[in-house]
C-alpha cells in the first residue's frame, strides 16, 4: 500500500499533455492543408450536459458537443484564443515554469500579440475551453491557483514549538513551495541568515515567480508573500526580521490604493492594532508599483472605480483617504505624497502581474533590479 | 547585519508575557487582600484615543483609560472574562500549544466553566482587551490566526519543478508549519510514504492542532488542510495520494451544510469541473462532523440560518440542495442520506472547534480515535 515508489507519474503526465497540445496543433495544420476551415470540438458545459456518473462517482459531461469552426466568423476570435493559450501552456511546460489565470490575461497584451481579451473572465473561459478540449486541468499546463502567506530564503530558524519540535533547526530555502507562516514559524528563533534584504510581495503568484526566477539568489534576498493584507503573524515576522537581523525591508504591491494601504499597514500599523507594539516595521520601504512605474513601463491599466461605478469602498474613495493620511509635514515630499498625487491624476491602476506583458522574467530581471537600485538597497 | 544569532528572543518574550500574566493575577489578589473591589485599567481604543505617532512611525493609543472595577456590577462579567482568558493564555504558554480565537470561544463552554460568551465577537473583544492590558499580542498568548491549504506527514516527495529543483527530495514531516500545496508540491513525484491513511480537514486550525497533538503519529496518517473548499491543486493531490499510493482518505468538516458540500466536492467533483478527470476522489470517505456526532458528543451548536434570517444562500436552503443531490438509489441508506435527514430534523450546526469545550486534546484523543474505528480505517 504505502511506500510504493511512483516516480514518473508527473513526468508521464507532462509528456501526455505536451503530446495532446502537439496533437491539437497538428490537427489544425492538417485541416488547413486539407483546405478546410480549421475547427475544434468542445464538449458543452451547460447544466443540461452535466450529469452525475454514479459508476465513476463524479460529475461528468454528456455527449453534447459544440463545434468551433473558423467557417463561422464569430468563432474566429475564440478559436485563435484557444490556440494561443495552447502555445502559452506548451511554453510553460517546456520551460518548467508556472503562471496564473491572471498572468495569462496579461501575457496576451504583450507587444506583437494580436490576441486580445476584453477582461480576465474571457481568458478564464478560454482556458476552461482548452481544458475541455485536452481533457487536462490548467494545472497540467502549469497554470496554478494562488496560495497563501509564506516565507522563503536562506534563513535558518530554530523552532520553539510545537511540543516535540523545540530546538529543531530548519532552513527556509529548502522548500520551493515556501514555508507556511504558521505558529511554529512565528515562534521560531533566528539562527542564521545569509540574505541581506527582505522582499515582501502582496501577491503569492509573484512570490512563486521570484522563487522560479531565482530572484532570492540574484538579489540575495529573503522573500515573504503577504497574500493581500498581511496577517498579523506575518507582520510580526517582518518586524522581527527587520529588528533582530537588521534586514532592510522592501514591499512590492499592486499599483492601486489597496496595495498602498497594504504597504502602509506593514510600515505604520493599523488602527485596529494601535494598542500593540512590535507588529509594524517603520523602517520598511514601499517600493511600488508606483504611479510613475505605470507611466515608465507602459503597464496595462484599468480605470479606478469611483462613486459612479461603486457606491462604497471605491478605489477613488480609498485613494482620497490615503492622501489625507499622508497629508502631514512628516511625509512632505516623500514618495507617498508624490506617487499618491500622480495616482490621483492618472485615476488608473494596475496589478503586479501586468509585467507579464513583457514575459514572465521581466518583473525580476528588469523591474526588481531597477527598483532595488532606485531605493538604494543594493 | 545578517548572520546574527538571536536565539533567545522568543524564549525571552514567552517569559515576559508569562510574567505579565502573573503580574496581572497578583495585582488582582492584592486588591482583594486590601479589601478593594478588584479592577484593571484598559487604555481606550476609541478613534479619539488613536493617533499617529510620527516619531515611532506607527499608530498608538493616547492617554485615555477606562477602569473596569468590580465595584460596578456591569463590569463584573467582562472582568471575570479577562481573567479567565488570561488563564487560558497562561496554560497555552506553559504547555507550548496553540489555539485560535474560535477555540477560546468554545473553551468557555466547557463543563465547570461559568464564563460565558454570548457570541464569538464578545470573546474576541475580551482578547483585545487583554492584549491592551498586557501590551502583548494574542499570538504571544499562543492564540493564532488561520493559515491556508497545506500538507504534513511522513511522505517523501521528489520535486519536478521549479527549474533547479528537479530531483530534489523532501519529507513533508520536516516542517511543523506544514508545506504549502504550491506548484512544486502539486507537480512532485511520490517517492516513499510510511503513513497508511490520509486525513483531510476543512479547518487549518484543526490541521495545526493535529500536528501539535501528534495525531499523525498516533494514527500513522498524512494530514491535509483544505482550508474551506479545497483548491483544485489540493483536490488533485488528494486524488493522487489515493490512487498512486492506495491511501484510504477520510474527510473531516464542520458540522454544517457547507462542510458536507466540501466533502462532497472532494469525493464527487464539482459542476464547474465536470469537464475534468482526476480532480475528485470517489473512494474518499466523509467522516463527519455528522449530525449524530452533535447529539452523541453534546456539542455546542447554533441554529441553521433559514430564509427568515438570510434571504439567499441560507444553511437550510443549502441543506435542501444536498438532500436533493443525494436522493438517488445509489446513495440509499448511506451515511449521507441518514445524516442529512438528521440535520434536517435538528436544524442546528456546529464547527470542528466545538470539541474544544472538552479541552484541546479531546478532538484527537477521543473523536478522531473513535471515528477512525467507526469508518473502519484502523
Amino acid at each position: 500500500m504505502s511506500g510504493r515508489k511512483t516516480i514518473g507519474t508527473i513526468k508521464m503526465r507532462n509528456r501526455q499533455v505536451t503530446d495532446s497540445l502537439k496533437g491539437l496543433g497538428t490537427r489544425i495544420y492538417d485541416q488547413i492543408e486539407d483546405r478546410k476551415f480549421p475547427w475544434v470540438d468542445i464538449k458543452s458545459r451547460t447544466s443540461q450536459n452535466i450529469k452525475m456518473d454514479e459508476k465513476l462517482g463524479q460529475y461528468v459531461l454528456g455527449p453534447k458537443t459544440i463545434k468551433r469552426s473558423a467557417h463561422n466568423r464569430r468563432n474566429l476570435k475564440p478559436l485563435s484564443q484557444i490556440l494561443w493559450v495552447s502555445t502559452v501552456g506548451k511554453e510553460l511546460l517546456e520551460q518548467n515554469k508556472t503562471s496564473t489565470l491572471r498572468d495569462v490575461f496579461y501575457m496576451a497584451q504583450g507587444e506583437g500579440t494580436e490576441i486580445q481579451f476584453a477582461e480576465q473572465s474571457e481568458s478564464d473561459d478560454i482556458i476552461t475551453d482548452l481544458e475541455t478540449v485536452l481533457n487536462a486541468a490548467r494545472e497540467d499546463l502549469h497554470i496554478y491557483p494562488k496560495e497563501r502567506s509564506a516565507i522563503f530564503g536562506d534563513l535558518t530558524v530554530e523552532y520553539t514549538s510545537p511540543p516535540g519540535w523545540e530546538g529543531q533547526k530548519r532552513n527556509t530555502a529548502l522548500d520551493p513551495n515556501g514555508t507556511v507562516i504558521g505558529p511554529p514559524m512565528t515562534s521560531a528563533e533566528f539562527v542564521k541568515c545569509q540574505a541581506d534584504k527582505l522582499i515582501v510581495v502582496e501577491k503569492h503568484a509573484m512570490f512563486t515567480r521570484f522563487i522560479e526566477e531565482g530572484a532570492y539568489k540574484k538579489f540575495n534576498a529573503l522573500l515573504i508573500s503577504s497574500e493581500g493584507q498581511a496577517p498579523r503573524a506575518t507582520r510580526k515576522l517582518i518586524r522581527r526580521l527587520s529588528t533582530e537581523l537588521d534586514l532592510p525591508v522592501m514591499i512590492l504591491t499592486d499599483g492601486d490604493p489597496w496595495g498602498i494601504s497594504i504597504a502602509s499597514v506593514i510600515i505604520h500599523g493599523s488602527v485596529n492594532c494601535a494598542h500593540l507594539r512590535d507588529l509594524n516595521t517603520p523602517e520598511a520601504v514601499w517600493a511600488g508599483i508606483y504611479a510613475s512605474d505605470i507611466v515608465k513601463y507602459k503597464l496595462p491599466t484599468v480605470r479606478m472605480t469611483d462613486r459612479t461605478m461603486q457606491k462604497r469602498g471605491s478605489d477613488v474613495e480609498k485613494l482620497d483617504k490615503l492622501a489625507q493620511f499622508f497629508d502631514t509635514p512628516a511625509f512632505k515630499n516623500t514618495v507617498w505624497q508624490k506617487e499618491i498625487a500622480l495616482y490621483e491624476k492618472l485615476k488608473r491602476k494596475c496589478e503586479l502581474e501586468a509585467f507579464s506583458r513583457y514575459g514572465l522574467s521581466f518583473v525580476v530581471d528588469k523591474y526588481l533590479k531597477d527598483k532595488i537600485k532606485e531605493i538604494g538597497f543594493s
Side-chain angles (χ1 to χ4, degrees), chain A residues 229 232 235 261 264-276 279-280:
Chain A
Q229 197 67 264
R232 284 170 46 148
R235 269 139 66 196
S261 173
S264 175
V265 165
I266 292 174
I267 298 171
H268 305 111
S270 72
V271 168
N272 288 339
C273 289
H275 62 294
L276 291 173
L279 279 184
N280 65 315

Side-chain angles (χ1 to χ4, degrees), chain A residues 5 12 45 64 80 90 125 197 199 229 257 347:
Chain A
K5 190 180 141 91
M12 209 168 63
R45 293 191 307 274
K64 212 184 147 202
S80 328
K90 187 162 164 283
D125 282 349
K197 65 181 76 62
I199 302 173
Q229 197 67 264
K347 288 220 168 40

Side-chain angles (χ1 to χ4, degrees), chain A residues 230-241:
Chain A
R232 284 170 46 148
T234 307
R235 269 139 66 196
K236 178 153 188 175
L237 191 64
I238 295 169
R239 161 73 162 232
R240 288 189 55 211
L241 289 165

